[in-house]
């Protein structure tokens, strides 16, 4: 039996994290959540393999989600990394693109678009590995 794809969702708004968790679990994903950058970094450091990481950009500090993205992009195998924000700027968007974040989503997130994007990104990563 094939393993469920694994996803880490990071958002300081608990209702957003739980909503995304329910949406992706309904799609067949194994989902963990974190409500802070520190919580996400701890989960990422514990050796769990994620197929994708979705992180909010602005949580306890402005642009701190980039730290989550940076840590996720150092993992092997590398998960697809999605950054969600309601406050995109030229600076933070440029920083995310320079880090080679896979996808930037604007809040409020269109759930169907996000599900399609994560699915496409994971399929692309699986082809490359």
């Amino acid at each position: 039996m094939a393993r469920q794809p694994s996803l880490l969702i990071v958002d300081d708004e608990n209702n957003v994290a739980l909503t995304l968790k329910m949406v992706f679990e309904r799609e067949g994903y194994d989902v963990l959540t974190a409500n802070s950058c520190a919580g996400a970094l701890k989960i990422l450091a514990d050796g769990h393999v994620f197929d994708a990481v979705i992180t909010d950009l602005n949580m306890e500090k402005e642009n701190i989600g980039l730290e989550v993205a940076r840590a996720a992009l150092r993992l092997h195998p590398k998960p697809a990394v999605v950054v969600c924000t309601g406050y995109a700027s030229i600076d933070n968007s440029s920083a995310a693109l320079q880090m080679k974040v896979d996808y930037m989503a604007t809040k409020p997130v269109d759930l169907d678009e996000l599900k399609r994007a994560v699915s496409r990104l994971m399929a692309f990563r699986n082809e490359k590995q």
Side-chain angles (χ1 to χ4, degrees), residues 34-56:
N35 295 112
S36 68
C37 176
L41 294 177
K42 184 176 179 186
I43 291 169
L44 290 170
D46 80 359
H48 191 95
V49 174
F50 291 100
D51 295 294
V53 174
I54 300 173
T55 184
D56 188 15

Side-chain angles (χ1 to χ4, degrees), residues 4 11 13 19 22 40 42 57 60 63 73 91 94 96-97 102 104 108 117 119-120:
Q4 285 180 286
D11 200 301
E13 293 182 54
T19 298
M22 288 187 307
K42 184 176 179 186
L57 181 63
E60 59 268 30
N63 298 333
L73 290 168
D91 289 339
S94 176
L97 291 173
D102 296 292
M104 292 278 293
S119 178
R120 279 193 315 267

Side-chain angles (χ1 to χ4, degrees), residues 9-17 34-37 55-61 64 107:
I9 296 172
V10 186
D11 200 301
D12 62 335
E13 293 182 54
N14 196 45
N15 60 334
V16 172
N35 295 112
S36 68
C37 176
T55 184
D56 188 15
L57 181 63
N58 296 310
M59 293 180 282
E60 59 268 30
K61 286 183 4 187
I64 199 155
K107 287 184 172 182

